[in-house]
């Protein structure tokens, strides 16, 4: 077999132009596969960890009004584990430029800690009181707002200066848009701010009344049953809509992006590897036809069919392996860059960039199978 191996090296050297072309195709395919898969694995893993840490809500209910006296009854509803009653509405933020329109979504929270959709403090303090505010970090950075600064929000025609106590992130707003009709996030024009519940109730005249509920469930698979129970019992308070976790705007966009990239990362490399396999097939077919006399001599010298077959198969595998290793290496290096690119649109404070061995193993198997 040593003679055949030497001949294999000569074959590769003799057709190095074609080999380089195949290498480029294989490298591109494996680079795309590894980089995109690693990036999306990092994004999905970090997102789920963030949800788990902050107790991401299972059900979101928008209502006309919901009295505080009914919160206890809601907590006793079958399959309901926890309840957070809130006041949520949009309000204009006053800036130095009269022509600039900036709005914020005000979400009420407990002054110390909320049990559902807990706020992850990036800077400053979580504790707030009257006229103190927590601001979503992306919005704060886009507006150059820092802890200790003051912002002015207009509520019911009255302007309220608010002291910034902390910059935070919330699992409910990893992807921030005004509504489903918005095309892209506008972090400098729209953001999320969190105010103390009693203060907002006082200035809006909604003390003891809420218009938004967040629930966690004992069993998420029984959502439909819980939805019917909720509607039957509390429809008199003007239910606008119930939103399951999968359909919550931020979460839905996040997983649509994750699933979309997974599909692309599975399709594009296959196309490149099909092209590489087709080129290799044509090259080996031509070599076998040209080597008919040599193959006859090899058979006469005692080489078996399997040895001759292995000789030509190794030609394809060697090129595919080199291209695969280079593609996987460069893709792994670039996965961190691609992961951070997602932070331009999605914000996950616990984002972890790491190499998934399964992505590397599957990439090696992929290129080996196609080349063989």
């Amino acid at each position: 077999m040593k003679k055949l191996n030497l001949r294999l090296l000569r074959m590769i050297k003799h057709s190095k132009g074609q080999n380089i072309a195949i290498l480029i195709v294989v490298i591109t395919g494996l680079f795309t596969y590894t980089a995109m898969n690693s990036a999306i694995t990092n994004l999905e893993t970090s997102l789920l960890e963030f949800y788990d840490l902050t107790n991401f809500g299972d059900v979101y209910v928008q209502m006309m009004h919901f009295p505080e006296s009914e919160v206890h009854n809601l907590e006793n509803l079958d399959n309901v584990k926890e309840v957070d009653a809130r006041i949520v509405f949009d309000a204009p933020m006053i800036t130095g430029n009269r022509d600039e329109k900036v709005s914020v979504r005000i979400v009420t929270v407990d002054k110390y800690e909320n049990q559902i959709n807990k706020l992850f403090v990036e800077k400053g303090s979580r504790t707030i009181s009257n006229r103190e505010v927590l601001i979503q970090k992306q919005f704060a950075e886009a507006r150059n707002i820092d802890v200790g600064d003051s912002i002015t929000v207009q509520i019911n025609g009255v302007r309220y200066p608010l002291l910034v106590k902390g910059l935070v992130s919330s699992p409910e707003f990893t992807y921030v848009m005004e509504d489903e009709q918005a095309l892209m996030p506008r972090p400098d024009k729209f953001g999320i701010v969190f105010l103390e519940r009693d203060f907002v109730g006082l200035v809006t005249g909604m003390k003891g009344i809420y218009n938004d509920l967040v629930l966690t469930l004992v069993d998420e698979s029984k959502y439909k049953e819980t939805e019917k129970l909720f509607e039957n019992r509390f429809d008199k308070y003007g239910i606008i809509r119930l939103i399951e976790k999968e359909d919550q705007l931020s979460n839905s966009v996040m997983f649509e992006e994750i699933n979309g990239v997974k599909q692309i990362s599975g399709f594009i490399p296959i196309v490149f590897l099909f092209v590489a396999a087709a080129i290799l097939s044509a090259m080996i077919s031509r070599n076998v036809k040209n080597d008919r006399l040599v193959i006859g001599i090899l058979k006469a010298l005692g080489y078996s069919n399997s040895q001759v077959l292995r000789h030509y198969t190794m030609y394809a595998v060697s090129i595919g392996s080199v291209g695969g290793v280079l593609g996987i290496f460069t893709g792994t290096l670039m996965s961190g860059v691609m992961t951070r690119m997602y932070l331009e649109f999605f914000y996950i404070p616990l984002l972890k960039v790491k190499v998934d061995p399964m992505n590397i193993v599957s990439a090696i198997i992929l290129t080996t199978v196609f080349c063989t």
Side-chain angles (χ1 to χ4, degrees):
M1 289 296 293
K2 289 183 179 180
K3 295 294 183 181
L4 286 182
N5 291 337
L6 290 174
R7 187 174 186 276
L8 176 63
L9 294 175
R10 287 197 297 268
M11 287 173 60
I12 294 173
K13 185 177 179 181
H14 180 70
S15 55
K16 57 185 177 183
Q18 296 95 320
N19 295 338
I20 291 173
I22 297 171
L23 280 174
I24 292 173
V25 175
V26 174
I27 289 171
T28 304
L30 270 297
F31 167 82
T32 305
Y33 179 84
T34 307
M36 296 183 75
N37 262 302
S38 296
I40 214 64
T41 299
N42 289 332
L43 186 67
E44 184 175 19
T45 302
S46 301
L47 180 65
L48 293 176
E49 287 183 5
F50 185 45
Y51 282 173
D52 185 59
L53 177 69
T54 54
N55 194 24
F56 185 48
D58 297 320
V59 184
Y60 297 80
V61 187
Q62 297 174 2
M63 307 188 73
M64 296 297 294
H65 67 282
F66 191 83
E68 189 172 15
S69 58
E70 286 281 18
V71 173
H72 178 69
N73 294 329
L74 180 55
E75 290 173 342
N76 293 329
L77 197 70
D78 287 347
N79 199 37
V80 173
K81 185 179 179 182
E82 296 169 302
V83 179
D84 187 11
R86 316 181 298 184
I87 302 171
V88 179
F89 61 96
D90 292 353
M93 177 175 145
I94 307 303
T95 67
N97 185 354
R98 292 185 177 181
D99 298 325
E100 184 182 28
K101 293 183 178 180
V102 180
S103 62
V104 294
R105 180 156 298 158
I106 294 174
V107 180
T108 62
V109 293
D110 184 82
K111 63 174 64 178
Y112 300 112
E113 184 66 272
N114 45 308
Q115 295 305 311
I116 307 176
N117 292 347
K118 297 178 182 179
L119 300 181
F120 186 89
V121 180
E122 304 270 1
K123 187 177 182 181
S125 171
R126 167 61 182 85
T127 304
I128 55 173
S129 58
N130 291 350
R131 296 181 183 269
E132 293 179 341
V133 63
L134 302 170
I135 300 184
Q136 177 216 15
K137 186 180 179 183
Q138 282 177 300
F139 179 67
E141 289 180 341
R143 302 291 310 177
N144 293 317
I145 300 170
D146 204 351
V147 175
D149 293 345
S150 179
I151 65 170
T152 301
V153 176
Q154 183 171 302
I155 303 175
N156 290 342
V158 180
R159 297 184 178 185
Y160 294 92
L162 304 170
L163 177 66
V164 179
K165 286 296 295 293
L167 307 184
V168 299
S169 56
S170 167
E172 188 179 355
F173 303 105
T174 52
Y175 187 78
V176 180
M177 293 192 300
E178 292 95 324
D179 50 42
E180 290 87 346
Q181 283 71 46
L183 297 177
M184 293 288 290
R186 300 187 302 158
D188 60 329
K189 302 298 182 184
F190 178 79
I192 313 298
V193 301
F194 302 90
L195 291 173
E196 198 270 324
R197 184 180 295 124
D198 292 338
F199 170 71
V200 174
L202 184 65
V203 300
T204 59
M206 296 179 66
K207 189 171 179 62
I209 299 174
Y210 306 103
N211 65 0
D212 193 272
L213 303 171
V214 184
L215 317 175
T216 57
L217 304 180
V218 177
D219 186 353
E220 293 181 41
S221 65
K222 295 181 179 179
Y223 165 75
K224 290 298 181 183
E225 292 89 333
T226 305
E227 180 184 31
K228 290 179 181 178
L229 284 172
F230 186 93
E231 289 177 340
N232 292 335
R233 187 161 182 177
F234 301 108
D235 186 57
K236 59 185 177 182
Y237 297 116
I239 298 173
I240 300 173
R241 62 173 176 169
L242 280 82
I243 305 171
E244 194 177 3
K245 178 166 64 176
E246 284 72 16
D247 299 322
Q248 194 266 341
L249 181 58
S250 172
N251 185 61
S252 174
V253 172
M254 288 290 292
F255 276 97
E256 280 182 10
E257 179 67 19
I258 288 171
N259 294 330
V261 174
K262 283 182 177 179
Q263 292 177 357
I264 293 173
S265 66
F267 171 73
I268 292 180
I270 298 297
V271 173
F272 279 98
L273 291 175
F274 260 121
V275 172
I279 298 172
L280 274 171
S281 178
M283 287 180 60
I284 294 175
S285 178
R286 185 191 61 190
N287 289 341
V288 169
K289 289 179 181 178
N290 293 336
D291 291 350
R292 282 180 297 179
L293 180 60
V294 175
I295 292 172
I297 295 172
L298 291 173
K299 292 282 290 179
L301 292 173
Y303 287 97
S304 66
N305 288 339
S306 61
Q307 288 176 310
V308 175
L309 177 62
R310 195 179 307 122
H311 171 62
Y312 287 97
T313 303
M314 284 300 298
Y315 176 74
V317 172
S318 60
I319 296 174
S321 298
V322 173
V325 169
L326 293 175
I328 292 168
F329 178 73
T330 53
T332 301
L333 290 179
M334 285 298 295
S335 63
V337 177
M338 290 192 66
T339 302
R340 291 183 178 89
M341 284 175 59
Y342 283 107
L343 294 183
E344 296 292 326
F345 304 99
F346 310 122
Y347 187 68
I348 306 172
L350 302 178
L351 187 65
K352 297 178 181 178
V353 178
K354 56 184 180 181
V355 178
D356 186 354
M358 287 305 299
N359 286 333
I360 296 176
V361 171
S362 58
I364 292 172
I365 294 173
L366 196 64
T367 185
T368 302
V369 168
F370 268 87
C371 291
T372 300

